[in-house]
Amino acid sequence: MTDYVRIAQSITIDASQERVFQFVSDFRNDWQWRPEIRRVELRGPLMIGTQLVQDATLLGFFSLSVLTEVVELEPGRRLVTRTPAEYDAHIFNVRAVEELSVDVVRFVYELSFDKAAVKKALRFALPAGVVSTFYGAAVRRYLGTVKHLIEES
């Protein structure tokens, strides 16, 4: 579907599954690896149904506040959030950690959103292909930063 963007990328990290999941599932860490994040408000302990608000600045000057909720949680392995059904733009995020061997994992970051989310963020529409290319490069940088932060700490 051309009005929908799905970006899914992964990276191998030399650390335990528990350590990686603990870092990437704590949304308060997002500002460290997602530079557009300015503030995260987690409304309760991490569990299915917990809501969070992420305030971001896109392209240096577009401000956006997004409400999402936890819809799936497998501690140590997988966390899925999405915008509530009544939200006017669909955004879906998966953070999964898969053990490959002792202290080596694959971190998968998936982000899906519809054209309405792009227009809400930027105040104008862009073709899905342009958004996918631009944001795909950003996600690759995110993953590299996560790897560096975890392996170097």
Side-chain angles (χ1 to χ4, degrees):
M1 190 175 347
T2 59
D3 289 347
Y4 200 79
V5 176
R6 179 180 175 270
I7 299 162
Q9 296 192 20
S10 66
I11 196 163
T12 302
I13 300 174
D14 294 331
S16 70
Q17 183 173 356
E18 178 183 342
R19 185 165 156 217
V20 173
F21 188 80
Q22 183 178 30
F23 183 81
V24 300
S25 67
D26 186 344
F27 291 96
R28 295 169 297 190
N29 289 330
D30 278 21
W31 67 271
Q32 295 180 63
W33 56 284
R34 296 178 53 217
E36 75 274 11
I37 297 299
R38 298 294 169 242
R39 184 183 73 88
V40 174
E41 175 191 345
L42 193 60
R43 297 178 174 171
L46 188 62
M47 56 192 272
I48 293 177
T50 299
Q51 293 185 329
L52 60 130
V53 177
Q54 295 183 7
D55 293 333
T57 302
L58 305 176
L59 302 176
F61 54 93
F62 292 107
S63 294
L64 176 67
S65 185
V66 176
L67 171 70
T68 59
E69 62 184 286
V70 176
V71 295
E72 185 181 329
L73 177 60
E74 291 179 57
R77 297 181 48 111
R78 184 174 165 89
L79 171 65
V80 180
T81 61
R82 72 166 184 227
T83 49
E86 67 275 5
Y87 202 70
D88 59 353
H90 173 260
I91 302 171
F92 181 81
N93 179 236
V94 177
R95 298 169 186 212
V97 180
E98 171 190 358
E99 187 174 57
L100 300 177
S101 64
V102 176
D103 288 340
V104 178
V105 300
R106 177 179 295 119
F107 170 47
V108 178
Y109 183 84
E110 177 183 335
L111 183 65
S112 303
F113 49 90
D114 61 21
K115 195 173 180 177
V118 175
K119 190 170 185 178
K120 182 177 179 75
L122 300 180
R123 318 299 190 275
F124 56 88
L126 285 173
V130 170
V131 175
S132 182
T133 299
F134 173 80
Y135 208 68
V139 169
R140 280 190 294 282
R141 287 190 300 275
Y142 295 169
L143 297 182
T145 301
V146 167
K147 178 179 177 74
H148 175 77
L149 287 168
I150 292 173
E151 290 181 353
E152 300 300 318
S153 66

